[in-house]
Amino acid sequence: MSPVTPLRPPARVLAVAGSDSGGGAGIQADLATIGAWGGYGMTAVTAVTAQNTQGVQAVHVLPADVVTAQLEAVGADIGVDAVTIGMLGSVPVMHAVADWLEAARPPRVVLDPVMVASSGDRLTDAAGEDAEAAWARLLSLADLVTPNVPELAALTGRTLDEEDDPARALAAAVAAARGLVAADGPVGRGGTVLVKGGHLPADAEGCLTDVLVGPQGETAVTAPRVGTRATHGTGCTLSSALAVLAAGGRSWEEALRAARPWLTRALRGADGLGVGDRSRPTWHGPLDWRVPTDDDGRRA
Ligand SMILES: Nc1ncnc2c1ncn2[C@@H]1O[C@H](COP(=O)(O)OP(=O)(O)OP(=O)(O)O)[C@@H](O)[C@H]1O
Ligand SMILES: Cc1ncc(CO)c(N)n1
């Protein structure tokens, strides 16, 4: 019997990110998501974190040359259709990744400018002018940048947490993103910014809005706010889904319209997981599987 050959080879997606021992964010979320969407996942680990649903207990950032070695090993042999970049951890690692992006020029680059975990713990020691220069390099090499609102505030130097009205808060965030994609802004190559609404108040219908802000225009995608504390890893999950969908040929808008309802299901599925009791992870797997839990989502 001849071996089974897929109709189309899977998209090869490289995740450049930190390891989350708790399994909810970082490399673990990236690989689960890439697999869930039928892609072939590869990794360049930038840092090892000891992390669970309570917070981050330890961070060890890898030496920059070890990160470069992983990037070169994968790029030279297997090939890369899309890259999703998350936690980088230090200025030397940021420059190592930027150097590789400049040399390898992978076709689609999604940059999630991770700075702080959902628990509030810092995930990078990069600060000051050195960090600003490294972010500017990375932004200029990205096709899609996916900041949450605090990250957008940090990248643009704007204050984005003073507005309580949902529409005005979103408008302020979108205005900040416009500055990033402007002709003289730091996001180069006609890149796009996805403003993520997870840190903004829900609107009167109980919905959150994400907005793609590109040089040619803007697209808003709205979804119900899920009343759960299980939002750990949503950012990594969304970025990886967008990378694998774009690698399969979709535009950023098509990718976001496909990924967003799936993310809603991943958030809804999380409460039945019974994993930890604080900042629980989203659930990347099939939804027809449950463990018995009590009303607080703890294993019964
Ligand atoms: N409670 C929620 N209900 C529905 N969607 C949500 C919720 N929280 C976040 N999202 C969605 O999850 C995605 C990630 O947004 P968010 O702003 O939380 O990113 P993040 O802070 O980078 O995530 P992370 O928790 O991984 O750090 C967005 O599409 C956002 O709209
Ligand atoms: C390793 C890692 N990357 C990203 C995040 C942000 O969710 C996290 N908590 N941990």
Side-chain angles (χ1 to χ4, degrees):
M1 216 167 54
S2 59
V4 175
T5 310
L7 292 176
R8 260 198 311 177
R12 298 162 300 179
V13 182
L14 170 62
V16 182
S19 163
D20 169 4
S21 57
I27 284 285
Q28 288 78 358
D30 295 333
L31 284 180
T33 303
I34 294 164
W37 284 99
Y40 179 79
M42 302 164 285
T43 59
V45 178
T46 58
V48 177
T49 72
Q51 204 174 157
N52 54 22
T53 71
Q54 309 297 317
V56 181
Q57 288 83 40
V59 176
H60 174 72
V61 180
L62 293 186
D65 60 341
V66 177
V67 177
T68 300
Q70 296 172 76
L71 293 167
E72 288 180 348
V74 167
D77 176 42
I78 299 171
V80 175
D81 298 311
V83 184
T84 178
I85 302 172
M87 174 184 180
L88 295 172
S90 74
V91 167
V93 170
M94 292 165 82
H95 283 297
V97 173
D99 288 344
W100 179 78
L101 291 174
E102 273 173 5
R105 291 281 166 190
R108 295 161 200 88
V109 178
V110 179
L111 172 66
D112 188 11
V114 170
M115 296 174 191
V116 176
S118 39
S119 55
D121 297 292
R122 272 188 74 78
L123 292 173
T124 178
D125 66 12
E129 283 178 16
D130 289 352
E132 269 174 43
W135 280 122
R137 265 192 93 193
L138 287 164
L139 290 173
S140 76
L141 292 161
D143 300 300
L144 180 71
V145 186
T146 62
N148 63 25
V149 169
E151 289 157 356
L152 186 59
L155 290 174
T156 58
R158 297 202 192 193
T159 305
L160 297 174
D161 60 359
E162 285 183 339
E163 191 57 71
D164 291 332
D165 176 73
R168 282 204 290 268
L170 185 62
V174 168
R178 280 187 200 128
L180 292 178
V181 301
D184 58 352
V187 178
R189 293 201 286 161
T192 298
V193 171
L194 174 66
V195 176
K196 295 184 295 191
H199 294 249
L200 295 179
D203 63 21
E205 280 77 47
C207 290
L208 297 175
T209 301
D210 299 338
V211 187
L212 282 167
V213 180
Q216 259 82 53
E218 286 152 26
T219 307
V221 173
T222 296
R225 183 178 188 287
V226 180
T228 177
R229 282 186 300 171
T231 57
H232 179 64
T234 45
C236 313
T237 299
L238 180 63
S239 298
S240 297
L242 296 175
V244 69
L245 286 161
R250 287 177 165 92
S251 67
W252 296 124
E253 181 179 340
E254 289 165 343
L256 182 61
R257 290 196 190 283
R260 195 59 188 82
W262 174 79
L263 187 62
T264 302
R265 287 198 297 278
L267 280 160
R268 288 196 176 130
D271 272 340
L273 267 182
V275 172
D277 66 3
R278 243 185 102 198
S279 186
R280 292 199 186 102
T282 50
W283 172 233
H284 309 92
L287 293 175
D288 56 357
W289 176 92
R290 290 280 191 285
V291 293
T293 56
D294 64 19
D295 290 344
D296 294 322
R298 297 192 189 91
R299 277 168 198 263

